[in-house]
Amino acid sequence: MISYLDKLGEVFGFQSFRPNQELIIRNILDRRDVFAVMPTGGGKSLCYQLPATVMEGTAIVISPLISLMKDQVDAARENGISAAFLNSSLAPDEMSEVHRRLRVGALSLLYVAPERFVMPAFLESLKSIPISLFAIDEAHCISEWGHDFRPDYLGLSVIPESFPGVPVAAFTATATQKVQEDIIRKIGLRDPHIVRASFNRPNLFYQVKKKSRLESQILEFLKGRTGESGIIYRTTRDSVMETSDFLSSNGIKALPYHAGLGPDERRRNQEAFIKDRVTIIVATIAFGMGIDKSDVRFIIHADLPKNTENYYQETGRAGRDGEPAHCLLLFSRGDIPKVRYFIDEIEDEAERAVALEKMYQMIGYASHNVCRRKQLLGFFGEVYARENCGACDVCTDKVERIDVTTDAQILMSAMARTHQRFGAGHVIDVVTGAETKRMRELQHDRIKTYGAGKHRDKKYWRFLADELLAQDLIREDGDRYPVLKLTQRGSSVLFNGDRVTALKREEIKVKDRHVEGSALGPYDEGLFERLRVLRKGIAEQHKVPPYIIFSDKTLHEMCRHYPVTRAAMKAISGVGDFKLELYGETFAAEIGAYLQDHPR
Ligand code: ADP
Ligand code: MG
Ligand code: ZN
């Protein structure tokens, strides 16, 4: 047998393997399934391309990125590997030529798009030829829990049963533990060899700054970075255009990229960036898939990302070449309602809850006085053991801190005096001196810290509890009814007076305060429940999903303004003329009836 070690130099021209590559390759050669999470730039392609050159038969690579397939095949051909791809960009005659080469065994490597792979005729054709291995790239696409679910990927579950004896190797750059388990189960990998490479990207510097005057902050950042390539992410098309125009008018070569631009313009702008004709691309998250530009030196997030997975993936586009690169997040609590708005539109309740939790995780990342790298890696289930990463704003003291030792001690003391047997809600009630029956029954209104934190509101204490959790000074114990416990380090704060600091928080202006939490403020929840029932009934009659009748956002607005007249109903966002005719009266009547029962 030809040694795979020889192939590394012969075919690829490399001296040594990168971490995990060799073990993965040996497992594939032993015909064992593999599941590997390796960061961007970690060298995943080699893990299946090398076995493809050693083993008999054709290696089938399933990859969702048509734009990258051609590059990969070109690169493989450059290395003398007989490779081809099948996707919708091929003309019919090119397509049949690839099929012919596949049939006669002339291909070592075949890339195929998932929607093509699952076509019964294609699967059938594979059964009559020798297959060396299956490689599934971007395997997270099979999981609804991932950030890029593609229904076509579900069809890949036929592979293990249809091709017993052929190893299946799944690769991805992003998968939480939960997504990992989901992927393995959905594909049906058979006792796979699992690799979780470290996600740490030591050359990336992470920083969060308070967003205040965005445009001058961006200009400030760009000073001294002339000629460096960077991506500025914004949430909406309009803001992309604004920032891009602003930069251009300041003599900085920038172009916009978002889904609202025509395909030609998008391609041109992307190309201009890749070919360094402009240094900056201002983009929505539509930009980035299929970009292999290795010298991106900075990523600015000018708006709050939806979740940490997205954030990590987007920042991951910086510094693929291993050189230092900077990731700046400009964070304002004022952005929270905008993200909330998108989340509120999610129809499925469970899905909405997950999205919300992820948003809070992202806010925590920006707010906690904890190494950014440690937090990011923690989200992916990785423990970053070092105390100081040396490459984030928290570790390099580029942040403003405030001392919260006294308040931390109040909270912890309340925990200790209630024997660490209560959850955050109750402890906060103790601290703020809530006058409830439960408090009296437990006689917690008699302990020394009862009401000791009256000077701050519940929200503040909630924030502090989160901060102490993030800093590992307290921890939550128990699943169903989690209680707060002191950690060793927390005890030192309570008993030895160790200092606790938090990041200085953005002062929320009073006039902004009401917009926090929900997109536009509180609404009448009792009425909302009634309108929801009404909506559901209508939706069932019309055989459409409820949100097609009215979105949650529209109902929320009704529950703020109580429209009972036609004019008032028409003024509600989401009530167009057509819907006004169809449903206006019914909803107005329901609101009227509700007001009868609950006079305001
Ligand atoms: P991924 O798919 O994991 O993001 P790639 O497979 O595209 O990463 O590899 C990233 C870069 O690293 C490519 O340019 C590749 O040629 C290079 N590379 C991969 N393995 C090695 C190795 N063992 N030695 C040197 N360079 C490598
Ligand atoms: Mg890759
Ligand atoms: Zn750090």
Side-chain angles (χ1 to χ4, degrees), residues 71-308:
D71 295 350
Q72 293 253 357
V73 166
D74 287 346
R77 283 185 181 155
E78 288 295 317
N79 285 334
I81 305 172
S82 65
F85 63 83
L86 278 176
N87 64 38
S88 55
S89 74
L90 291 183
D93 56 326
E94 294 172 313
M95 196 88 81
S96 42
E97 171 60 12
V98 173
H99 276 114
R100 190 194 60 78
R101 291 174 64 204
L102 179 64
R103 267 197 314 276
V104 300
L107 288 175
S108 300
L109 200 54
L110 177 69
Y111 284 78
V112 53
E115 61 276 11
R116 211 150 276 275
F117 179 83
V118 298
M119 289 178 179
F122 181 73
L123 275 175
E124 231 17 73
S125 73
L126 288 188
K127 286 183 184 156
S128 55
I129 58 163
I131 306 285
S132 55
L133 67 108
F134 289 96
I136 301 176
D137 210 359
E138 315 289 345
H140 57 274
C141 293
I142 201 171
S143 172
E144 288 96 337
W145 289 98
H147 53 85
D148 193 22
F149 174 58
R150 291 170 190 240
D152 278 322
Y153 259 63
L154 292 174
L156 304 182
S157 63
V158 302
I159 297 176
E161 55 200 68
S162 308
F163 302 91
V166 179
V168 182
F171 299 90
T172 174
T174 57
T176 59
Q177 198 71 35
K178 188 166 177 178
V179 172
Q180 164 176 330
E181 282 156 23
D182 201 31
I183 295 170
I184 292 174
R185 199 183 56 245
K186 290 242 170 67
I187 304 176
L189 295 180
R190 300 144 292 193
D191 181 27
H193 170 72
I194 295 176
V195 169
R196 277 192 84 86
S198 171
F199 267 52
N200 190 17
R201 301 278 311 275
N203 57 319
L204 302 189
F205 190 102
Y206 300 102
Q207 180 178 27
V208 181
K209 271 187 139 175
K210 222 185 293 174
K211 169 159 122 182
S212 50
R213 294 152 297 112
L214 178 64
E215 293 184 334
S216 43
Q217 284 178 305
I218 293 177
L219 279 190
E220 183 68 21
F221 180 87
L222 295 178
K223 244 184 241 164
R225 293 178 198 267
T226 319
E228 292 187 359
S229 290
I231 307 173
I232 301 178
Y233 280 109
R234 301 229 52 184
T235 312
T236 65
R237 298 170 184 188
D238 288 346
S239 50
V240 163
M241 295 313 295
E242 246 169 59
T243 302
S244 150
D245 290 344
F246 170 76
L247 291 176
S248 303
S249 68
N250 277 272
I252 294 164
K253 285 190 178 166
L255 282 173
Y257 189 102
H258 60 73
L261 301 175
D264 282 338
E265 186 171 3
R266 279 207 307 262
R267 203 173 316 116
R268 267 204 313 277
N269 292 0
Q270 170 167 330
E271 173 123 339
F273 179 62
I274 289 171
K275 302 238 161 104
D276 288 342
R277 288 196 286 268
V278 298
T279 52
I280 295 173
I281 200 107
V282 186
T284 59
I285 57 168
F287 180 78
M289 278 291 246
I291 306 286
D292 265 352
K293 187 172 169 62
S294 66
D295 60 354
V296 175
R297 290 274 73 82
F298 63 86
I299 309 274
I300 300 177
H301 281 81
D303 301 299
L304 180 65
K306 278 200 192 78
N307 57 53
T308 40

Side-chain angles (χ1 to χ4, degrees), residues 40 68 86 109 123 128 195 254 258 318 365 389 396 415 466 498 574:
T40 305
L68 279 189
L86 278 176
L109 200 54
L123 275 175
S128 55
V195 169
H258 60 73
Y365 168 79
C389 81
T396 54
M415 285 167 50
D466 280 347
D498 283 7

Side-chain angles (χ1 to χ4, degrees), residues 205-206 370-375 384 386-396:
F205 190 102
Y206 300 102
V370 176
C371 167
R372 314 281 184 197
R373 177 167 269 101
K374 190 185 178 91
Q375 289 192 73
Y384 185 72
R386 275 168 47 193
E387 267 303 311
N388 187 310
C389 81
C392 82
D393 53 354
V394 175
C395 289
T396 54

Side-chain angles (χ1 to χ4, degrees), residues 417-443:
R417 284 169 196 273
T418 54
H419 308 290
Q420 306 188 41
R421 282 208 297 258
F422 295 86
H426 185 76
V427 174
I428 290 170
D429 274 354
V430 172
V431 167
T432 53
E435 290 166 23
T436 62
K437 191 159 152 254
R438 182 144 194 258
M439 212 45 77
R440 285 189 293 276
E441 277 168 7
L442 291 162
Q443 303 197 341

Side-chain angles (χ1 to χ4, degrees), residues 5 8-9 12-18:
L5 277 174
L8 181 66
F12 299 92
F14 299 143
Q15 276 78 43
S16 57
F17 286 108
R18 292 239 180 106

